[in-house]
Amino acid sequence: MYKEEYKDLTIRCALIANSIINKNEQSNIKEWFEGENLKDKKKEFNKFEKYIDQSSLDITYYVQMIHNEDIIYIISFYDKNSSEDFGIIYFKFDDNSNNLVDDLKCIDKSIVDKNKEENKIDSFQNIPPPPPPSPSMFKVD
């Protein structure tokens, strides 16, 4: 969902995503993050960015606002050629008075793949088949 009032936040997310997929430059989280636990978040973010930098795939992304009450965005990274998921970053903004990120969560490809596999296994495996039709359904009066 795109809302004009959040345009600056959407642009900020796209700029961060561009810096992540640019393998020739290291992103500087201090320029756009104002939340708590900077040291831990920087470590998490740098690990995610390094994961992309070391990939031989041509990674691209899309930005999507998933919640506008808490102002949460996701940036989904994927391979341009195969459309295979490569990871997700969640950004939370406390308000739209500035475009600095207040919290983030990085989910790399291994976690995305694990969740897909668990969902695939659990989805329909334990659903019993429907009962056979009763003989009365076939009676013609």
Side-chain angles (χ1 to χ4, degrees):
M1 83 183 94
Y2 175 78
K3 292 191 174 188
E4 184 65 29
E5 65 187 289
Y6 300 115
K7 179 176 123 182
D8 290 341
L9 303 180
T10 305
I11 291 169
R12 168 63 79 181
C13 291
L15 290 172
I16 294 168
N18 280 328
S19 72
I20 292 170
I21 64 172
N22 181 348
K23 296 181 180 187
N24 297 319
E25 135 187 352
Q26 184 74 23
S27 301
N28 184 358
I29 190 173
K30 290 179 182 179
E31 292 177 355
W32 49 263
F33 185 80
E34 69 175 359
E36 296 178 15
N37 302 322
L38 176 63
K39 184 178 175 183
D40 294 337
K41 296 299 180 177
K42 182 178 179 180
K43 183 177 177 181
E44 178 181 350
F45 179 80
N46 288 344
K47 180 180 173 188
F48 184 87
E49 185 173 32
K50 184 177 179 182
Y51 185 67
I52 287 181
D53 287 346
Q54 292 176 343
S55 170
S56 62
L57 300 175
D58 191 7
I59 305 295
T60 190
Y61 67 89
Y62 66 88
V63 175
Q64 181 179 8
M65 180 184 228
I66 59 171
H67 200 280
N68 65 347
E69 197 171 297
D70 288 332
I71 315 178
I72 299 173
Y73 280 82
I74 62 169
I75 303 174
S76 294
F77 296 88
Y78 61 95
D79 177 31
K80 267 186 192 176
N81 300 317
S82 69
S83 297
E84 182 179 346
D85 290 327
F86 204 78
I88 301 169
I89 296 182
Y90 291 85
F91 285 143
K92 181 177 182 286
F93 297 89
D94 284 344
D95 56 50
N96 64 347
S97 63
N98 69 40
N99 63 355
L100 299 176
V101 176
D102 294 291
D103 200 2
L104 67 89
K105 177 70 180 158
C106 300
I107 300 174
D108 67 33
K109 184 177 180 357
S110 63
I111 297 171
V112 170
D113 288 347
K114 180 180 175 188
N115 287 340
K116 278 184 180 179
E117 191 60 34
E118 286 173 0
N119 288 339
K120 189 165 87 175
I121 290 170
D122 293 341
S123 322
F124 297 106
Q125 194 170 22
N126 298 324
I127 299 175
S134 67
S136 63
M137 286 180 66
F138 297 107
K139 278 188 175 178
V140 179
D141 292 330

